Amino acid sequence: MLQAFGLDSGTLTAFLIGLAVVIFLWGFERYRTTFSRQEFLIAITLSLGVFAAGAFPAVYSALAAAFHVERRSLIVSLLANSALVLLVLYLLAQVRSNQLSITELTRDLAVERATETASSDTSTERTVCVVIPAYNEAESIRNVVSSLPKSVHDYAVETLVVSDGSTDGTVDRVATTAATAVEHPLNQGQGGALKTGFELAQQRGANIVVTIDADGQHPIEQLDALVAPIAADEADYVVGSRYAGVDESGNGVARRAGIRLFTKVINVITKSDMTDCTNGFRAIRGSKLGDLTLTEERFSAPELIIEARKNGLRIREIPVSIAQRETGTTKKPKLGYALGLARTIFTTWIR
């Protein structure tokens, strides 16, 4: 009777029909226990396809003829592989969605904790909020924070350190200073840390937001020059350039060449004249932060520049001196750094 369905092997027919039943029951059980409609729909689709292959192989024969494929097995294989590709793409989308949810929850938790412990001071004093993303920078963070002035251009300086999943006691070192420490329970990347810092700076009504690295490379003595164009209402976004100033960072030839190349690419697509697209020593008018669409979790420097340009912010570049790291080693990947910059530039440009 099974051979009457069109397959030469009754055993294969029985196996395929049984497999279809198992797939359907799995999907039904998932729906019954987790209410997952997506999984149930996928299970129904797959079970129908497998059942048709076992019970009604003539359907695939007709498809093979339509696609001018001589063997029925080839069309079955083609459809099966197509289904597999779609399932893999669906899985990747679900994984990415879960990653974004975890990232959002991590940042929301950090912001909520910082808000709970924030001072209730309602002072109308103008402020510069210095945001310092830090990942395992316990050896240098205290010196960086302590070197910041109390005021600049008649703006009171507030310091906000975002410890991005550090495991070396970075937060403990900050606790002995006047800075506010915010901690991500999971590492989110520099871009994620900056977004947390920007959100808190906006909540606190910062007039100007400055970003510096936690490794001691950025020149605190040049903070006045960085903030000056915004304080004088001559710019909305100011970024330092080591190539217009002094570069003692110790970057190799390949990395310097890569930074210059990516800077030229950004200049072409944004009609700008920057010289250093990856410098994290920058100042942004606080009221303009809300205009920027920031989604990058790691390679955020190009995204900030392109977004600032797309939203009409007045951009100014000033020469600065970049020193070598005070302690530790860079957290930037080698090959991954170039690929990450390229991806960030492209995705920010096309959206």
Side-chain angles (χ1 to χ4, degrees):
M1 181 179 67
L2 291 174
Q3 290 178 354
F5 288 119
L7 285 181
D8 295 332
S9 171
T11 302
L12 178 59
T13 300
F15 171 76
L16 291 175
I17 293 175
L19 179 60
V21 173
V22 170
I23 293 174
F24 175 81
L25 292 177
W26 174 84
F28 180 77
E29 178 66 14
R30 291 294 296 172
Y31 178 71
R32 189 179 68 83
T33 56
T34 66
F35 307 102
S36 175
R37 294 181 180 179
Q38 293 89 345
E39 292 181 29
F40 193 27
L41 180 60
I42 290 173
I44 291 174
T45 303
L46 291 177
S47 64
L48 287 175
V50 174
F51 182 80
F56 305 104
V59 172
Y60 291 97
S61 296
L63 288 174
F67 285 97
H68 304 288
V69 177
E70 294 182 0
R71 299 177 60 186
R72 183 174 60 203
S73 59
L74 291 178
I75 196 69
V76 173
S77 177
L78 175 62
L79 292 175
N81 281 284
S82 298
L84 178 61
V85 169
L86 292 176
L87 286 175
V88 170
L89 292 176
Y90 172 76
L91 177 62
L92 291 175
Q94 289 296 103
V95 169
R96 180 57 180 164
S97 177
N98 290 337
Q99 288 177 336
L100 291 176
S101 297
I102 292 172
T103 295
E104 198 66 27
L105 287 172
T106 298
R107 293 184 54 251
D108 287 346
L109 178 61
V111 170
E112 183 178 351
R113 286 178 175 175
T115 302
E116 290 175 353
T117 58
S119 171
S120 59
D121 184 16
T122 57
S123 172
T124 58
E125 186 178 24
R126 298 185 304 174
T127 59
V128 170
C129 183
V130 179
V131 176
I132 309 176
Y135 175 57
N136 288 341
E137 298 287 1
E139 296 182 10
S140 60
I141 188 63
R142 180 176 170 78
N143 289 340
V144 172
V145 170
S146 300
S147 66
L148 289 167
K150 294 183 178 180
S151 65
V152 55
H153 288 285
D154 295 326
Y155 288 79
V157 173
E158 297 180 351
T159 307
L160 179 63
V161 177
V162 182
S163 175
D164 189 31
S166 298
T167 58
D168 66 343
T170 295
V171 172
D172 295 334
R173 296 293 180 90
V174 178
T176 60
T177 70
T180 299
V182 181
E183 186 169 17
H184 283 170
L186 298 173
N187 181 266
Q188 303 299 308
Q190 187 183 61
L194 286 177
K195 284 192 288 184
T196 297
F198 289 160
E199 183 172 346
L200 287 170
Q202 288 177 284
Q203 286 184 5
R204 299 180 179 195
N207 302 95
I208 301 173
V209 179
V210 170
T211 70
I212 64 174
D213 289 350
D215 55 14
Q217 286 188 287
H218 291 151
I220 302 302
E221 66 276 8
Q222 295 178 10
L223 184 62
D224 281 15
L226 187 75
V227 171
I230 299 179
D233 198 22
E234 297 172 353
D236 303 305
Y237 185 104
V238 183
V239 60
S241 170
R242 77 198 86 182
Y243 301 121
V246 179
D247 180 18
E248 297 179 346
S249 60
N251 285 336
V253 174
R255 176 157 293 188
R256 293 200 303 270
I259 292 173
R260 290 184 183 275
L261 174 62
F262 287 124
T263 300
K264 288 182 179 179
V265 172
I266 290 176
N267 285 339
V268 170
I269 65 178
T270 64
K271 298 180 176 60
S272 302
D273 57 353
M274 310 287 292
T275 62
D276 189 354
C277 72
T278 64
N279 203 320
F281 192 49
R282 63 176 76 86
I284 310 170
R285 189 178 300 279
S287 60
K288 296 294 185 179
L289 275 175
D291 298 338
L292 309 182
T293 301
L294 304 178
T295 62
E296 179 56 37
E297 298 165 2
R298 298 196 178 277
F299 307 97
S300 59
E303 180 183 51
L304 281 163
I305 293 174
I306 297 173
E307 276 293 313
R309 185 66 173 169
K310 287 168 65 174
N311 286 278
L313 274 65
R314 295 170 295 170
I315 302 177
R316 175 80 63 85
E317 189 178 58
I318 66 169
V320 297
S321 301
I322 300 297
Q324 288 187 331
R325 291 178 59 92
E326 289 186 355
T327 59
T329 58
T330 180
K331 312 300 189 302
K332 296 182 177 68
K334 294 182 179 179
L335 178 60
Y337 187 65
L339 295 176
L341 288 179
R343 174 187 55 77
T344 301
I345 292 170
F346 178 73
T347 55
T348 307
W349 175 52
I350 64 174
R351 72 183 180 211

